[in-house]
Amino acid sequence: MTDPSVWAVTIALIIVLFIFDFAVVIRRPHEPSFKESVGWSLFYIGLAVVFGLFLHWWHPDFPTAEYFAGYITEKSLSVDNLFVFLVIMTRFAVPPKYRSRVLLVGIAIALILRTVFIAAGAAALDAFSALFYVFGAFLIYTAWGLAKEEPEDVATAEYQEGRMVRLVRKLYPVTDGYREGKIFVKENGKRLVTPMLLVMVAIGSTDILFALDSIPAIFGLTQDPFIVFTANAFALLGLRQLYFLVQGLLQRLVYLHYGLAAILAFIGVKLVLHALHENNLPFINGGEGLHVVEISTTTSLVVICAILVIATVASLWSTRKGNASAMAQRLEDDEGAALEDPAQGDARDER
């Protein structure tokens, strides 16, 4: 998609959505309810779906399957971001009513940084097709590292301040409180920043690390910069609401990182196969492409969805069994204590 007018309208739409979201947050700082989070999450998911269907209707040759495969991949990888966002929020003790504002600004920073990554990645792939080998190998390596993580390590990860956060601390003194959600304040004639700015910078800059695998992953599904950009934008747009929707479920998604590792490995293999098919490296088959099986976009979409469903269902089933076992153990402990101390059994019967 190279039509400048389509790019202009799409970017304008995304900016308007961010402004609208920000206006809603600023008007009434609060922690969204479960019902509110569900409604807005469905709205942004529906918006992404309508956007893809509209472009397919407007341009019948629009690679709709690539768009949806990219969007689902970016959305699933963004859930992994929420684990780190939760750790950052806890580390900085952000009051619940200010978390929406922090997330929104952090996500806006992340989208700007990702746009730079996308532009650089598209230009690099156009100039050096051999980068498909590099991207593929990197995704497989990342998948291996992610698969080796234990669920306990993911849940109990600790946040370490990055360079950008340390730079802000050097440039400005930081207040000891959130000062009613303000970012800058003036006290005793000095200009200070509140922890709000530190958290926003932390979330935005941390997303750079996630972009290192999510951007190559989506380039493994499509080389169209427009699809890469829009899939990332729509995946990030509803991330604020998704945080409040799934924060209670994050600890239950114990196998999610295995699922994400499988997706990254799958796309990594797809990239390597594509690189072999389009090969122009002289030391591989004399610079000629190899006749290898290439994975279609439709197949990629089906595989990615299947992996996500399996990882989610397995996680919820495992934690459900774990909760049931823990409850049964507690009942056994109570009964054992009652047998040893009849007074405790009588007290429990009275309750």
Side-chain angles (χ1 to χ4, degrees):
M1 186 71 66
T2 57
D3 190 339
S5 61
V6 176
W7 272 96
V9 171
T10 302
I11 292 173
L13 171 65
I14 291 169
I15 292 174
V16 167
L17 288 170
F18 264 106
I19 292 174
F20 169 75
D21 207 359
F22 195 73
V24 171
V25 170
I26 292 296
R27 185 180 62 195
R28 187 170 64 90
H30 67 292
E31 182 178 11
S33 64
F34 181 81
K35 182 179 180 180
E36 181 182 348
S37 298
V38 169
W40 281 111
S41 294
L42 292 176
F43 169 77
Y44 280 111
I45 292 173
L47 192 63
V49 173
V50 170
F51 179 81
L53 296 177
F54 173 77
L55 285 179
H56 178 74
W57 168 78
W58 189 31
H59 287 278
D61 58 342
F62 178 71
T64 312
E66 291 184 5
Y67 166 77
F68 282 114
Y71 171 72
I72 292 172
T73 299
E74 293 301 311
K75 197 71 174 177
S76 61
L77 290 173
S78 70
V79 174
D80 201 34
N81 297 24
L82 298 181
F83 283 98
V84 179
F85 291 173
L86 184 61
V87 172
I88 293 174
M89 295 285 192
T90 304
R91 164 66 176 78
F92 285 95
V94 181
K97 66 177 181 179
Y98 298 138
R99 293 186 177 186
S100 286
R101 188 185 307 178
V102 169
L103 284 168
L104 189 56
V105 175
I107 290 168
I109 295 172
L111 181 58
I112 294 171
L113 295 174
R114 285 192 181 208
T115 302
V116 175
F117 271 61
I118 292 167
L125 287 173
D126 282 341
F128 310 102
S129 59
L131 280 178
F132 283 112
Y133 287 110
V134 178
F135 280 8
F138 177 74
L139 288 179
I140 294 172
Y141 172 77
T142 303
W144 173 250
L146 190 59
K148 289 196 302 181
E149 290 184 357
E150 294 294 332
E152 293 80 6
D153 297 336
V154 178
T156 61
E158 295 184 2
Y159 169 73
Q160 296 182 351
E161 290 188 356
R163 293 182 180 179
M164 293 183 69
V165 175
R166 292 198 298 268
L167 178 61
V168 173
R169 286 190 183 276
K170 288 182 180 179
L171 294 176
Y172 295 98
V174 183
T175 64
D176 57 356
Y178 280 85
R179 303 297 193 271
E180 299 181 350
K182 295 178 181 178
I183 297 177
F184 294 95
V185 294
K186 199 168 185 179
E187 296 179 355
N188 301 322
K190 291 184 178 181
R191 188 176 180 82
L192 311 174
V193 300
T194 70
M196 284 284 286
L197 180 62
L198 297 181
V199 183
M200 291 173 180
V201 172
I203 288 179
S205 58
T206 300
D207 188 77
I208 296 176
L209 300 177
F210 291 102
L212 291 177
D213 55 39
S214 67
I215 299 301
I218 193 171
F219 270 119
L221 299 169
T222 177
Q223 284 79 61
D224 189 331
F226 179 79
I227 295 178
V228 176
F229 171 74
T230 52
N232 269 273
F234 281 109
L236 289 175
L237 266 172
L239 198 57
R240 177 179 72 85
Q241 292 81 3
L242 189 63
Y243 171 86
F244 292 100
L245 179 61
V246 304
Q247 63 177 335
L249 296 175
L250 287 178
Q251 303 304 323
R252 297 187 63 189
L253 299 176
V254 292
Y255 297 135
L256 178 64
H257 66 292
Y258 292 129
L260 297 180
I263 290 173
L264 292 177
F266 170 76
I267 298 175
V269 171
K270 183 179 186 298
L271 268 172
V272 172
L273 291 174
H274 176 75
L276 290 171
H277 187 269
E278 302 293 330
N279 177 64
N280 57 11
L281 295 177
F283 53 85
I284 298 179
N285 197 36
E288 299 294 328
L290 282 77
H291 297 288
V292 295
V293 176
E294 283 212 88
I295 303 172
S296 68
T297 303
T298 303
T299 302
S300 300
L301 182 58
V302 172
V303 170
I304 290 168
C305 290
I307 290 173
L308 287 175
V309 170
I310 293 171
T312 302
V313 172
S315 295
L316 297 179
W317 177 258
S318 175
T319 52
R320 180 183 178 184
K321 287 179 63 179
N323 291 338
S325 299
M327 184 175 295
Q329 184 63 46
R330 283 198 299 269
L331 290 173
E332 289 180 7
D333 293 342
D334 288 346
E335 289 176 359
L339 291 174
E340 294 177 4
D341 186 353
Q344 290 185 12
D346 294 342
R348 190 179 68 253
D349 292 338
E350 290 176 2
R351 290 198 298 270

